[in-house]
Amino acid sequence: MTRILFYLDEPGKEIWRPAFEAAIPGVEFREYPDWGTPDDGPAYVFAWEPEPGLIAKYPNVKTIFSLGAGVDHLTSDPDLPADVPIVRMSDMGLKEGMAEYVLMTVLMYHRYMPRMLASQRKHEWRRLFPPAASDVRVGILGYGALGHYCAQALKPLGYQLASWSRTAKPEEDGIRHYSGEEAFEDFLARTDILVGLLPSTPETTGLLNSRTMALMPRHAAIINAGRGSLINLGDLVSALDSGHLSGATLDVFVEEPLDENNPLWSHEKVFITPHIASITRPTTAAEYVAENIKRIESGLQPQNVLDRKRGY
C-alpha cells in the first residue's frame, strides 16, 4: 500500500485527497497531524511549507515531494534529513499555468498595455503603435522545465527568444541559449522583456540589481515569476523611477504576503500578483507523484530530483 503524508496549511486543502485517491487506487492518504508513526511503514511526503523539524521525526519517509516548483520551503529546514531525495514539482498543470502567465505578461508589455492604462486613468486618447513581435527580444532567465515550456508557448508569436542558464543547453530552433557568467551581460543587453524563472540559490540572490539592470536596453521590462530573492527591489524601483526600465510585473517576494504598506503596491509602473503565476493543480500533480512513485518502487530514479549542492 502506498502511504502519502500530506501537509498543507491553507484553505481548500480538502481537494487533494480525492485527487490522490483517483491517481493511486488504495492509497493511504494521511493529512497532518494524522501522520501516524514511523512504525506504520514506508511513506512519501507531499508537502508545502511543513513545520521545521517535522519530517525529521519520520525516518520511514522514502522521498519528499514538493507541492510547488520551489523547494526552499523544504531546504530551509535545518533538520531536514540529508539522505532523503526531494522531487520538485514539474507536472503539466504547473507548466501550462506558468506558460499562460508568461504569455499574458509578455503580450502586456509588447502591446504597451501599461501605457494604455495610464492614458485611460488620465482620460487621454493616446494612440500607441507597438512593434511587431518579431522585433521584440524576450529573454527567459532560467531554462529548466518551466522555462522551456514557456518558450514553446511564445514561439508561435514570432518573438526573438533567448535564454540564460548556469549550464549550457542543447541547440534549439527558434531560441538562442546563453550560459555561464561570461554570457550573462550579453544576454541582458539583448533583452527587451525579461522573464525571471530562476530558483532561489546563493548565486541567484540579488542577481538583478542596479548594475545588471543598467545593462538592459532602455525601456526594458521585467517579469519575475520564479523566486523573490532574484531582484533587489530598491534597485528595481530606482531603475523604474529613472525611466531606464518601463515596468515590472512581480509575482514572488522574499516575504509573503507583501506588507500592505509596501510602496510597491502603489507604484505606477509595477503590477503585483499574489504568487499565483502557476498554481499546482491537484489532478495533474497527483498523477505526477504517482508516476514517480512507480519509478521509485521499480528501482528507477524519480524525475526532477533536487541537486542539493546546486539548489535546483
Side-chain angles (χ1 to χ4, degrees):
M1 176 183 294
T2 301
R3 182 175 291 107
I4 301 291
L5 306 183
F6 175 67
Y7 188 104
L8 178 63
D9 187 19
E10 292 183 7
K13 58 185 177 181
E14 64 277 357
I15 62 178
W16 286 97
R17 182 181 295 276
F20 271 92
E21 289 175 346
I24 309 175
V27 67
E28 184 179 346
F29 187 86
R30 293 195 170 187
E31 182 179 335
Y32 183 80
D34 185 27
W35 275 18
T37 68
D39 294 338
D40 294 333
Y44 300 91
V45 165
F46 181 67
W48 183 256
E49 296 184 345
E51 297 177 1
L54 174 63
I55 295 175
K57 297 177 182 178
Y58 292 84
N60 59 324
V61 170
K62 297 177 67 174
T63 304
I64 303 166
F65 291 89
S66 174
L67 190 148
V71 293
D72 41 314
H73 67 103
L74 295 167
T75 57
S76 60
D77 179 356
D79 298 318
L80 192 72
D83 58 343
V84 178
I86 297 173
V87 175
R88 298 177 295 153
M89 182 56 62
S90 186
D91 68 305
M92 282 306 299
L94 198 69
K95 294 175 185 176
E96 291 168 353
M98 185 61 77
E100 292 164 2
Y101 184 90
V102 168
L103 186 59
M104 174 187 71
T105 48
V106 166
L107 278 167
M108 181 177 74
Y109 287 112
H110 164 209
R111 298 289 301 188
Y112 296 158
M113 285 306 298
R115 302 185 202 181
M116 300 283 191
L117 290 172
S119 295
Q120 178 182 334
R121 287 192 290 267
K122 297 175 183 178
H123 298 194
E124 293 178 350
W125 186 267
R126 184 186 177 198
R127 302 181 72 192
L128 300 172
F129 301 95
S134 57
D135 292 327
V136 178
R137 300 169 297 178
V138 178
I140 300 174
L141 187 54
Y143 202 70
L146 291 178
H148 180 266
Y149 202 83
C150 289
Q152 302 313 303
L154 292 166
K155 272 184 181 180
L157 295 181
Y159 291 112
Q160 296 182 40
L161 297 175
S163 78
W164 182 88
S165 17
R166 287 184 61 191
T167 56
K169 302 299 180 185
E171 291 187 10
E172 183 179 353
D173 288 340
I175 182 165
R176 180 178 179 183
H177 295 305
Y178 294 77
S179 63
E181 292 182 15
E182 65 281 0
F184 186 56
E185 293 187 0
D186 289 340
F187 167 78
L188 291 178
R190 56 78 55 206
T191 298
D192 300 312
I193 302 174
L194 184 146
V195 179
L197 295 175
L198 284 171
S200 179
T201 69
E203 292 78 18
T204 63
T205 298
L207 187 61
L208 293 183
N209 51 52
S210 58
R211 185 189 71 81
T212 55
M213 285 186 282
L215 299 171
M216 298 179 67
R218 187 166 177 80
H219 303 312
I222 291 175
I223 299 160
N224 191 23
R227 307 307 293 167
S229 58
L230 174 68
I231 304 177
N232 181 309
L233 293 180
D235 290 352
L236 174 64
V237 169
S238 295
L240 292 168
D241 289 345
S242 71
H244 182 71
L245 295 182
S246 64
T249 294
L250 307 175
D251 184 63
V252 286
F253 302 87
V254 173
E255 294 184 9
E256 297 180 354
L258 187 65
D259 188 277
E260 62 180 11
N261 296 316
N262 193 300
L264 286 171
W265 284 110
S266 55
H267 198 289
E268 63 179 0
K269 294 183 180 179
V270 175
F271 285 97
I272 291 172
T273 54
H275 205 148
I276 49 78
S278 186
I279 301 299
T280 308
R281 300 170 182 174
T283 300
T284 54
E287 292 170 351
Y288 176 79
V289 172
E291 178 60 30
N292 270 301
I293 288 176
K294 286 182 182 179
R295 292 178 62 87
I296 294 168
E297 298 295 344
S298 299
L300 301 175
Q301 177 85 343
Q303 299 170 327
N304 220 26
V305 176
L306 171 70
D307 183 331
R308 296 203 191 196
K309 291 183 179 179
R310 296 168 69 181
Y312 57 92

